[in-house]
Amino acid sequence: MDYFSQSIKQAIRTVPDWPKPGVAFRDITTVLQDKTAFRKLIDAFVHRYHGHKIDAVAAVDARGFIIGSALAYELNASLVLVRKKGKLPFNTLVEDYELEYGTASVELHRDAFKPGDQVVLVDDLIATGGTMLAASRLIRRIGAEIVEVAAMIDLPDLGGSAKLQEEGLKVYTVCSFEGE
C-alpha cells in the first residue's frame, strides 16, 4: 500500500459494533472532514483516470455522490447519479439486487449515457458488491462501457470485489480492510 493509501486508511474511523454487534463500521466522514485526506483521496482517483477517455462518472447513492462529483469535475466528465428506486423523476431503468435480508433496487435515467460511453462507476466502499453489480448492469443495459468500478474502501472478506471481477469488471480501491 502506498503512502497516500495508507494515510487515507488511517483517516477512516472504525466504529465497533455499529449498526449491530460484531460489525466494524468504516466511517468515511473523518476523511471528508480532513481537508488533506479528502484531497489525497480525490487525487488518487484523478491520477488513476487522468489521460483515459472518460465520458462519465456514475456515482452510487448516496456517499458515492461525494467522490463522484469531485472526480467528474476533475476529469471534465459528466456526472450520472445511480439512485435508490423512486428517487429519479424521469424515465428510468431499474435493477433489483439481493441484500442480507431481502432485496433492494437502484435506478438510472434511460438517457443517462450514449452507447459506447466510457464510464467509471464509483461508490464509497465495496462490501458484498450487490449495489455495484446492479448499477453496472444498468449501465451496460444502456450500452455504455464500464472502464472500472472504483471505491475508497474494499472489504474483501465480504466478497464483493471478487463478484465484480467475476462479472468481468476491473476493480480499483484506494484502501482495503481485510481481516480487520
Side-chain angles (χ1 to χ4, degrees), residues 140-160:
R140 287 175 165 172
R141 280 170 53 193
I142 292 176
E145 298 176 23
I146 300 171
V147 172
E148 200 161 53
V149 173
M152 179 190 326
I153 302 168
D154 185 17
L155 303 175
D157 295 341
L158 299 179

Side-chain angles (χ1 to χ4, degrees), residues 2 4 33 43 67 69 76 88 93-94 100-102 117 121 127-128 167 173:
D2 67 23
F4 290 115
Q33 293 165 352
D43 285 351
I67 299 166
S69 60
N76 195 31
L88 290 174
L93 295 172
V94 178
E100 189 176 356
Y101 301 105
D117 276 355
L121 174 60
T128 62
E167 290 278 324
T173 57

Side-chain angles (χ1 to χ4, degrees), residues 29-91:
T29 62
T30 49
V31 173
L32 305 176
Q33 293 165 352
D34 179 330
K35 63 184 177 184
T36 302
F38 185 52
R39 178 168 292 281
K40 286 179 183 177
L41 172 68
I42 298 305
D43 285 351
F45 288 110
V46 170
H47 291 294
R48 175 96 178 159
Y49 302 111
H50 183 74
H52 291 81
K53 181 191 175 296
I54 304 297
D55 298 302
V57 174
V60 178
D61 200 339
R63 290 180 301 265
F65 296 172
I66 300 163
I67 299 166
S69 60
L71 181 59
Y73 174 81
E74 288 292 333
L75 296 177
N76 195 31
S78 66
L79 175 66
V80 174
L81 305 180
V82 179
R83 300 293 318 261
K84 294 172 183 149
K85 188 175 179 180
K87 300 289 184 182
L88 290 174
F90 194 62
N91 296 329

